[in-house]
Amino acid sequence: VQLQASGGGLVQDGGSLTLSCAASGFTVDRYAIGWFRQVPGKEREGVSCFSRSGSSRYSRDSMKTRFTVSRDNAKNTVYLQMRSLRPEDTALYYCAAARYFSGAYCGMTSDEYTYWGQGTQVTVSS
């Protein structure tokens, strides 16, 4: 089971990025996929997640209005589209996979997730 996060980069305040989380060794629609981010010296923070059944969650209202999580089963990939990026969104972004009994549920805490990608850096300049 492997996850490959990509799509990070340097953008200006107000810009957009789409992160990709490509899965290999398993079918992504059989797992919940979570997006997390971490700034040096701080704990890893849940950003968003996508359940097996296709429901989505966002950890903050500010993310719900600016971020969209989606899945492409044909590409075995989950995406995090980020708009109106702010300097405080600067972080290393990770995707992770978890199995839950309920197909409609996905969690927002890192200890619920078993498999992790390597992270992709997002830097938003002011």
Side-chain angles (χ1 to χ4, degrees):
V1 174
Q2 286 190 326
L3 294 167
Q4 178 77 33
S6 63
L10 173 64
V11 295
Q12 291 186 334
D13 191 352
S16 300
L17 282 174
T18 297
L19 305 184
S20 300
C21 178
S24 59
F26 69 101
T27 304
V28 73
D29 62 0
R30 295 189 178 183
Y31 285 74
I33 302 296
W35 284 99
F36 297 83
R37 67 186 186 185
Q38 190 168 23
V39 175
K42 294 188 177 181
E43 291 188 358
R44 192 169 295 182
E45 174 190 23
V47 174
S48 179
C49 65
F50 200 85
S51 73
R52 291 202 318 265
S53 66
S55 58
S56 58
R57 294 177 62 192
Y58 302 88
S59 63
R60 303 182 187 181
D61 288 343
S62 63
M63 292 176 182
K64 188 175 183 178
T65 58
R66 299 184 297 122
F67 296 176
T68 302
V69 62
S70 62
R71 185 177 67 203
D72 186 331
N73 292 340
K75 295 183 178 180
N76 212 31
T77 299
V78 173
Y79 301 96
L80 182 66
Q81 183 181 8
M82 304 186 294
R83 303 173 296 275
S84 301
L85 283 163
R86 306 166 180 171
E88 54 264 40
D89 294 317
T90 295
L92 186 61
Y93 283 71
Y94 298 89
C95 60
R99 294 293 297 269
Y100 295 100
F101 179 78
S102 170
Y105 176 78
C106 62
M108 298 294 286
T109 57
S110 58
D111 58 5
E112 297 178 68
Y113 287 77
T114 304
Y115 305 106
W116 289 82
Q118 84 290 359
T120 185
Q121 178 68 37
V122 172
T123 303
V124 185
S125 63
S126 58

